[in-house]
Amino acid sequence: MKMSMRMASLLATVSFGVLVAGQAWSAESLQDVMKRRGLTEKDVLAASKTYTPTGKRDEFIAFSSGGQSGQVIIYGIPSMRILKYVAVFTPEPWQGYGFDDESKRVLKEGSMVDGREITFGDTHHPAISETNGEYDGQFLFINDKNTPRIAVIDLKDFETKQIVRNPILKSEHGGTFVSPNTDYIIEAAQYAAPLEDNFVPLEQFNEKYRGAVTYWKFNRAKGRVEPENSFSIELPPYSQDLSDFGKGPSDGFSFTNSFCAERYVGGIERGRPPFEAGCSAKDTDFLHVVNWKKAEELFKAGKTKKINGHAVIDMATAAKEGVLVLIPEPKSPHGVDVTPDGKQIVVAGKLDTHASVYSFEKIQAAIKAGKFSGKDEYGIPIIAMADALAKQVEIGLGPLHTQFDSKPCVAYTSVYVDSQVAKWDYCEGKILDKMSVHYNIGHLMAMEGDSTKPAGKYVVALNKLAIDRFNPVGPLHPQNHQLIDASNDKMQLLYDMPLPLGEPHYAVAIAADKLKPHIRYPHGTDSRTEEKHPAAVRAGSEHTDTKPGKVEVFGTVIRSHITPEIIEVTEGDEVSIHLTNLERAQDETHGFAVSKHNVNLSLEPGKTASATFKANKAGVYPYYCTEFCSALHLEMQGYLLVKPANYKSTGVKAKEGVSYSKADYDARVKGNIDTQAVIDSVVGYITSVNFKDFPQAVALVEDATDQLGFAKAAKEKSEEFAKKQDWHNAALWAEQWFQYQVKTADIGLRAKTYLEQNGAKKVQ
Ligand code: RUQ
Ligand code: CUA
C-alpha cells in the first residue's frame, strides 16, 4: 500500500515534463465560432496569418525599445508573443539585474553621475550588428536619450554586457545606428548644451551651446565598445535628431538631421513665445552630412581636442577638412533613412507633407565641385537643396520614418498626423497604398527593413496612442503595436498587440534563424564578463570562509536544494553568497532570495552569481529558490541566521518533529529498489538509441547521471546509519536517496520523451 503511493508520487512527479498536448476538438465548427464571436471572413483570414500553434516558432524576432522602462522588449513575428524584457538601464529583479554583484557592476558603469544614481533610462533606437550591411544577429545596441549612454547586449545570451556614458552630451536622440560592418555606433546629440560640464547662461546659446555626434568604436571580437578609440564631431546647436549610416556607394558617410536650426531659445516665464513656436518658424532645417572615414583619419592623426578626456573634432577643423557639410531639409524633419542600395537618403518632415529623397551621387558631385550656396554662421559649407534633391513625394500629414521592402524601390513611411502607413515607390515617386493605423504612428518596422537586404513580408506600426483599442485599464494606456501583412500589393492589418512597458520608439526585426543563443553556460560562468567566475564551485566542494567582519559562502544550487542550507553570521558582518547552478538541462533556472535583504539572483544552468550585503540586524531570515523548478521547489530553502554580536549558544538540543523506526527504514529501502527498476528501464531505452546525436538529450543525460551519483552517495549514508542501528537517520537518508531517484527519473523521462519525439533510432 505504502509502496504504491510512493510510486504514484514518483509518476506524478515525472509526468511534469512528459505531458503531450492533445486536447480534444470542441464540437463547434468554424462557422459557429465566427457567428458566436462576430468575426468576419477577413478577421479569420487575419487570425490564420498570425496564429501560431503551440510548439511552433516565429519567423522573425523583434527587438523593441522599452521607452521609459529603460529596457528592451523582445517579441516574435507574426505571433506577436512577448518573449523577454532585457534589462538594460534599469534594475530588473527577475533577471537579478541590479541585484547580483555581477550585473550591478555593469549597471554602475553608466548609472553613477556626479554622485547621483540614475535608475531610469529612456531607450529609443535599438540596432542589430551588421556584416556587409546585413543583420548578423550577434549584438544589439540601444541608447538612452535622457542620460546619454549606449548599451551593448550580447545576443548569445540576451544579457547587457556594457554601458558606456557619453562624456560630452547632456541629451541625445540619434543613437544607436551601426556602420555596415559595425566598426562604429552613432550617438548624436539632441538638445544643445555646453560640451563641458560647466554652467553657461542661455544668453550664450549661439556661442557656447553645441551639438555633437559621437562615433563609438566597437570591437567585435571582444564584444565591447572601446571609449579610448572613439571620437566625436562638434556640431552647431541645431537640435540634431536621427541619424543613419551610408552603405554601398555612400559607405564612409553618415547623415544626421536636425529640427531647430533656428536656434531658438524659449522661456515662457520670461515672456518669450515657447520653444515650439520659435523652433518651427523657418521653412528649413539642416541635414548634416559627415564623411566619417575622413573624420576617423583626423582622429587617428590626433587632430582633435580633448573635452572631459574624450577626443572631439571641432567644427572649424571639420569644415576645413571637408568632414562636414550641411543641406537644407524641409521644416522640422524627423527620420533620415538611407535606401538599401545606399544611393538615396529619405528625409521626412513632421510639418511637411513630403518625403524628400536626396541623391548621394548629387551630394558627392556638389562636394567635389565645391558647389556651395554659402556657409552657415559657424563656417560650415551648405549645399543648396536643389543641388542634392532627387525628388519630393507627397506622402500625407506628418510623415516621420521610412523602412524598406524586399522589393526594389518600395518603402513604407509612417504618417503621424494622418495615422497611416504609406507604401510608396521612391524610384518612381508614387504612392502605392495607404492604410489606417490606431493611432498616431511614430516609427514603423519592416523585417530587416533598414539593412541592405530587407526581408519584406511584414510591417509593424509602432503607434503612439491606443485610445479605444483595448479594454480600459485606467488613464494610462498601453502602447499599440499593429502587425501588418505586407506580402501583397495591398497591406492588411492582422493584429493589435498592447505593450504595457514604457513607450517603445523604434524596433528592429531579424530573421529568427540568424539568432543562435546558448541554452546553458559552461559550468561556473560569470555571464557579465563571460569568463569563469572565480567563486564557482562544483558539487561537493561547497564551503564558507569566515573572517572577522566578513563571511563568504561558495555554494551550489540543483534540484531541489541549496548548499549550504544554513548560513550563520554575526550581526554587522558583510556577507557574500556566491552560488553556482549545477544544472545542465534546458530551462532549469533556480532563483535565490533572502528575506528582507533585497537579494534576488537568477541562476540559469551553469551560471555563477553573487549577492553581497550587510547583515546589519540580528534575526532569522529564510532564504529560498524563487523559480518553480521542480516538485520539491518549496523545499528548496534555508536559513540565514544573524546572531547578535556576543551571542553564546545555550546548548539546547533540537527535538525532531517526527522520528523513524526500522520498519520505516525497511519500507523506504523497498520502495527505492522498485524505483530503481523504473530508472533502469529508462536508462535501458536511452542507451539503446543514438542519444549522443542529440545535444539536448546528452545534457539531460548528464544531469540525470549527476543525480544518480548523488542517489548512490545518499544510499551509502543510509546504509552506514543502518549498520549503527540509527534507524531515524538511516530512514532520512533513504528518503534523500529516493528524492535523488525521483529527479533522475524526471530528467531521464524528459530525455526519453525528447528522443522519441525527435526520431531517435535504435543502435546495435
Ligand atoms: S523617435 S522621439 Cu525615433 Cu520618432 Cu525618438
Ligand atoms: Cu530551484 Cu525552485
Side-chain angles (χ1 to χ4, degrees):
M1 181 67 213
K2 184 124 195 212
M3 188 208 78
S4 69
M5 254 178 66
R6 294 176 68 76
M7 285 307 288
S9 106
L10 166 66
L11 290 175
T13 310
V14 299
S15 65
F16 247 103
V18 195
L19 277 179
V20 180
Q23 273 111 0
W25 279 88
S26 63
E28 273 181 305
S29 72
L30 183 58
Q31 271 68 30
D32 293 338
V33 177
M34 285 168 69
K35 202 162 150 215
R36 178 163 60 79
R37 299 199 63 216
L39 301 177
T40 64
E41 206 163 297
K42 219 174 140 208
D43 295 334
V44 173
L45 184 64
S48 70
K49 289 182 182 181
T50 161
Y51 174 68
T52 306
T54 184
K56 290 252 155 49
R57 306 269 179 93
D58 279 301
E59 190 180 354
F60 296 96
I61 299 296
F63 296 86
S64 172
S65 116
Q68 306 91 323
S69 73
Q71 302 184 1
V72 167
I73 305 166
I74 301 176
Y75 57 83
I77 291 174
S79 77
M80 305 303 270
R81 297 180 296 194
I82 295 178
L83 301 172
K84 193 174 228 176
Y85 299 130
V86 178
V88 184
F89 298 116
T90 315
E92 199 290 299
W94 170 54
Q95 296 159 65
Y97 191 72
F99 294 86
D100 63 54
D101 298 351
E102 295 74 16
S103 64
K104 271 183 192 166
R105 272 195 286 276
V106 175
L107 198 51
K108 285 255 159 72
E109 287 172 2
S111 66
M112 291 312 295
V113 180
D114 304 329
R116 297 181 296 273
E117 192 180 2
I118 313 293
T119 54
F120 145 74
D122 185 13
T123 62
H124 275 244
H125 308 102
I128 293 174
S129 56
E130 295 178 8
T131 301
N132 295 325
E134 289 179 53
Y135 291 178
D136 57 35
Q138 293 181 7
F139 297 94
L140 185 83
F141 309 98
I142 190 142
N143 67 324
D144 173 11
K145 168 168 171 162
N146 179 62
T147 301
R149 47 191 174 159
I150 65 163
V152 180
I153 296 160
D154 193 325
L155 295 178
K156 280 202 300 290
D157 61 358
F158 290 57
E159 277 199 350
T160 303
K161 304 295 178 187
Q162 185 187 22
I163 296 177
V164 193
R165 279 229 348 260
N166 193 298
I168 57 170
L169 302 183
K170 310 298 177 281
S171 143
E172 56 102 302
H173 186 234
T176 52
F177 301 92
V178 299
S179 59
N181 279 305
T182 324
D183 318 278
Y184 286 98
I185 304 155
I186 277 186
E187 186 184 24
Q190 180 118 86
Y191 309 115
L195 299 183
E196 291 82 10
D197 286 340
N198 52 348
F199 171 77
V200 177
L202 269 169
E203 285 71 16
Q204 289 180 289
F205 190 88
N206 288 339
E207 300 78 23
K208 297 269 178 75
Y209 283 48
R210 291 291 176 263
V213 56
T214 301
Y215 295 80
W216 290 110
K217 177 76 188 157
F218 185 64
N219 181 326
R220 193 192 285 265
K222 290 203 187 114
R224 298 292 184 272
V225 165
E226 297 179 331
E228 67 282 8
N229 292 324
S230 307
F231 62 93
S232 295
I233 300 169
E234 179 194 27
L235 299 177
Y238 291 154
S239 295
Q240 282 77 26
D241 202 26
L242 286 170
S243 306
D244 202 2
F245 269 103
K247 49 189 97 167
S250 55
D251 187 15
F253 282 76
S254 69
F255 309 91
T256 298
N257 55 19
S258 61
F259 62 76
C260 189
E262 293 87 348
R263 293 169 292 155
Y264 178 74
V265 177
I268 298 170
E269 56 303 299
R270 294 179 181 182
R272 291 174 62 79
F275 275 104
E276 61 170 321
C279 280
S280 58
K282 257 181 46 169
D283 280 341
T284 56
D285 290 287
F286 284 122
L287 177 65
H288 303 62
V289 178
V290 176
N291 183 336
W292 64 264
K293 284 252 163 86
K294 206 164 206 179
E296 183 189 40
E297 284 166 24
L298 295 182
F299 164 62
K300 288 189 173 155
K303 293 190 176 165
T304 56
K305 59 180 180 186
K306 288 268 164 139
I307 302 179
N308 295 338
H310 173 74
V312 180
I313 299 171
D314 63 34
M315 288 188 293
T317 309
K320 190 173 99 223
E321 303 280 348
V323 161
L324 176 63
V325 299
L326 300 170
I327 308 174
E329 49 184 5
K331 242 177 159 42
S332 301
H334 194 39
V336 50
D337 298 282
V338 177
T339 56
D341 61 12
K343 291 184 179 163
Q344 311 194 68
I345 303 119
V346 181
V347 169
K350 294 167 293 200
L351 299 180
D352 186 85
T353 53
H354 298 95
S356 303
V357 184
Y358 291 86
S359 151
F360 184 69
E361 211 182 310
K362 282 186 157 186
I363 295 172
Q364 277 304 85
I367 292 174
K368 279 216 184 82
K371 194 171 178 224
F372 299 116
S373 64
K375 286 183 176 173
D376 78 345
E377 205 177 287
Y378 303 92
I380 304 165
I382 300 171
I383 299 175
M385 204 189 309
D387 291 336
L389 213 52
K391 59 178 70 68
Q392 287 190 306
V393 183
E394 177 91 30
I395 299 282
L397 287 181
L400 297 184
H401 302 284
T402 299
Q403 292 266 291
F404 302 96
D405 196 86
S406 52
K407 297 179 201 85
C409 300
V410 175
Y412 301 90
T413 296
S414 53
V415 193
Y416 178 82
V417 179
D418 283 343
S419 293
Q420 284 192 323
V421 171
K423 178 177 180 176
W424 56 291
D425 182 318
Y426 59 85
C427 302
E428 302 281 318
K430 62 169 194 243
I431 295 284
L432 302 171
D433 187 25
K434 276 192 181 183
M435 203 193 78
S436 292
V437 292
H438 314 87
Y439 300 89
N440 298 93
I441 178 173
H443 278 270
L444 77 179
M445 159 179 67
M447 305 302 98
E448 306 199 355
D450 61 9
S451 72
T452 50
K453 287 233 176 67
K457 296 192 181 181
Y458 302 100
V459 167
V460 176
L462 280 61
N463 304 313
K464 296 296 182 191
L465 301 180
I467 307 183
D468 57 359
R469 291 296 101 174
F470 306 112
N471 295 57
V473 286
L476 180 63
H477 292 238
Q479 309 292 318
N480 185 12
H481 281 200
Q482 286 184 306
L483 178 68
I484 296 164
D485 178 359
S487 49
N488 303 305
D489 290 345
K490 281 261 162 215
M491 294 180 279
Q492 186 196 359
L493 183 63
L494 300 181
Y495 191 72
D496 283 21
M497 175 177 66
L499 266 187
L501 192 84
E503 189 207 299
H505 290 263
Y506 185 42
V508 283
I510 182 174
D513 59 15
K514 287 189 182 174
L515 297 169
K516 304 240 166 10
H518 296 328
I519 59 171
R520 78 183 68 79
Y521 293 105
H523 168 266
T525 302
D526 174 339
S527 66
R528 304 293 164 176
T529 61
E530 298 166 276
E531 280 162 15
K532 181 93 181 173
H533 198 297
V537 290
R538 292 199 177 266
S541 49
E542 299 90 348
H543 60 281
T544 300
D545 290 354
T546 307
K547 291 192 203 102
K550 170 95 196 156
V551 175
E552 205 167 356
V553 176
F554 301 82
T556 60
V557 291
I558 191 165
R559 273 161 286 174
S560 310
H561 54 262
I562 301 161
T563 307
E565 295 198 321
I566 300 163
I567 300 173
E568 289 182 87
V569 308
T570 304
E571 189 173 45
D573 280 350
E574 189 190 66
V575 182
S576 284
I577 302 172
H578 313 285
L579 292 174
T580 300
N581 183 350
L582 299 174
E583 311 272 359
R584 276 167 290 220
Q586 190 168 14
D587 200 17
E588 268 307 326
T589 295
H590 298 284
F592 177 76
V594 183
S595 157
K596 297 185 174 178
H597 284 78
N598 204 34
V599 167
N600 186 44
L601 306 182
S602 173
L603 300 155
E604 298 94 70
K607 193 193 233 185
T608 300
S610 317
T612 298
F613 56 91
K614 194 113 183 150
N616 64 331
K617 172 94 173 58
V620 173
Y621 304 99
Y623 55 79
Y624 64 99
C625 168
T626 49
E627 285 270 345
F628 205 113
C629 53
S630 56
L632 294 177
H633 151 78
L634 293 179
E635 289 78 357
M636 203 164 166
Q637 59 167 353
Y639 283 100
L640 168 70
L641 303 174
V642 183
K643 296 181 287 190
N646 23 40
Y647 177 73
K648 292 242 167 15
S649 164
T650 57
V652 193
K653 275 210 135 206
K655 231 172 63 202
E656 299 286 350
V658 181
S659 64
Y660 300 101
S661 64
K662 177 165 189 308
D664 294 321
Y665 170 71
D666 289 341
R668 277 181 168 67
V669 169
K670 189 166 178 313
N672 292 358
I673 289 165
D674 292 339
T675 307
Q676 192 57 44
V678 176
I679 294 172
D680 291 344
S681 81
V682 174
V683 171
Y685 166 79
I686 293 173
T687 50
S688 76
V689 299
N690 58 335
F691 78 97
K692 288 191 180 137
D693 298 340
F694 298 86
Q696 203 151 313
V698 169
L700 288 166
V701 168
E702 285 174 348
D703 272 3
T705 310
D706 272 359
Q707 296 282 352
L708 202 57
F710 299 144
K712 197 164 158 264
K715 177 172 181 272
E716 280 159 13
K717 281 201 180 122
S718 85
E719 285 163 354
E720 266 168 47
F721 281 105
K723 234 185 262 164
K724 289 186 267 178
Q725 306 207 345
D726 179 345
W727 303 116
H728 181 69
N729 277 307
L732 282 170
W733 279 109
E735 181 63 31
Q736 183 57 35
W737 163 16
F738 175 68
Q739 290 308 335
Y740 282 127
Q741 287 182 313
V742 169
K743 280 169 266 231
T744 309
D746 174 18
I747 308 166
L749 278 167
R750 276 195 232 184
K752 181 169 181 263
T753 309
Y754 180 85
L755 290 166
E756 284 167 352
Q757 289 176 351
N758 288 278
K761 290 207 181 57
K762 284 268 169 220
V763 288
Q764 302 328 309

